[in-house]
Amino acid sequence: MRRSLVATAAVAALALAGCTTGGNSGSSPTPTSGADNTQAVAYMDKVCGAASEFAKIEKTAPKLDAGDSAKLKAEMAAYMGQLADAFTKSAEGLKNVGPSPVQGGEEAVTRMSETFTSLGTVFTEAKTKVEQADANNATGGLQAAGEAIAKLSELADPLRDLKDVPELQTATQSAPKCQEMQRLNVTPTS
């Protein structure tokens, strides 16, 4: 069981390690229902940059070394901590993108931030469980790590919360950082 959980962690690490984009800061005008497309594109560029901040945090998946349980436990705890930090950073970035030029945009970004915050909490709790577990008990902390990694499916489409904001969905098609997410197979809603 421990091997399959660590293998899952390694696959997740490879998927996350391949993503690299940057964030932007600034402010946007007060929301309107018919915002200028340029403003919506600039806003979505900031949103996609913040949403992908987790990719900048170094995450080193544990090696499949079944011979040293204590080392595996320590590496898994470190990995859980790295993921917790990464998702927390993205959540904070999303909280700071500024006002949306499109009505409903801020609410959608708040929901995105809440998803990242929730994932950060899941990985923080998994890290604690791994640290507290007996290194020789594969069903203890390592199971918690596997369950946390399974939660990554919540991030299959990080921009899914924009489904009710068509102007921002359309803007993802032109925003450079959203396009970068798409090239990295973290497909934005469009």
Side-chain angles (χ1 to χ4, degrees):
M1 174 154 197
R2 178 175 44 214
R3 267 196 117 105
S4 67
L5 292 175
V6 175
T8 302
V11 170
L14 292 174
L16 290 174
C19 302
T20 55
T21 60
N24 240 347
S25 63
S27 61
S28 297
T30 306
T32 64
S33 58
D36 180 327
N37 186 46
T38 304
Q39 293 171 333
V41 169
Y43 181 74
M44 285 312 302
D45 200 51
K46 289 190 272 185
V47 169
C48 289
S52 62
E53 278 294 308
F54 70 88
K56 290 181 173 183
I57 304 288
E58 185 175 334
K59 297 165 284 296
T60 306
K63 304 252 187 295
L64 294 173
D65 183 6
D68 190 348
S69 296
K71 180 180 176 187
L72 177 61
K73 176 185 161 185
E75 288 178 353
M76 185 60 80
Y79 181 58
M80 293 294 102
Q82 291 166 345
L83 289 170
D85 292 345
F87 287 114
T88 299
K89 183 172 181 175
S90 282
E92 288 304 314
L94 286 165
K95 290 176 187 174
N96 295 315
V97 295
S100 172
V102 175
Q103 206 152 1
E106 287 178 54
E107 293 83 359
V109 171
T110 296
R111 287 189 302 273
M112 290 170 62
S113 176
E114 289 168 353
T115 297
F116 279 94
T117 298
S118 173
L119 286 167
T121 300
V122 165
F123 283 102
T124 298
E125 291 171 356
K127 177 181 185 274
T128 300
K129 288 178 182 175
V130 170
E131 290 171 338
Q132 293 172 349
D134 176 357
N136 296 311
N137 179 0
T139 62
L142 296 179
Q143 182 176 350
E147 291 168 359
I149 290 166
K151 292 270 189 187
L152 290 175
S153 66
E154 291 180 21
L155 206 60
D157 180 3
L159 302 179
R160 72 179 178 270
D161 290 311
L162 296 174
K163 66 182 179 291
D164 296 329
V165 190
E167 292 125 319
L168 293 182
Q169 281 185 320
T170 300
T172 64
Q173 297 170 11
S174 301
K177 292 186 190 311
C178 296
Q179 293 304 302
E180 181 65 21
M181 287 175 71
Q182 191 169 28
R183 282 191 294 278
L184 296 169
N185 293 323
V186 181
T187 308
T189 304
S190 54

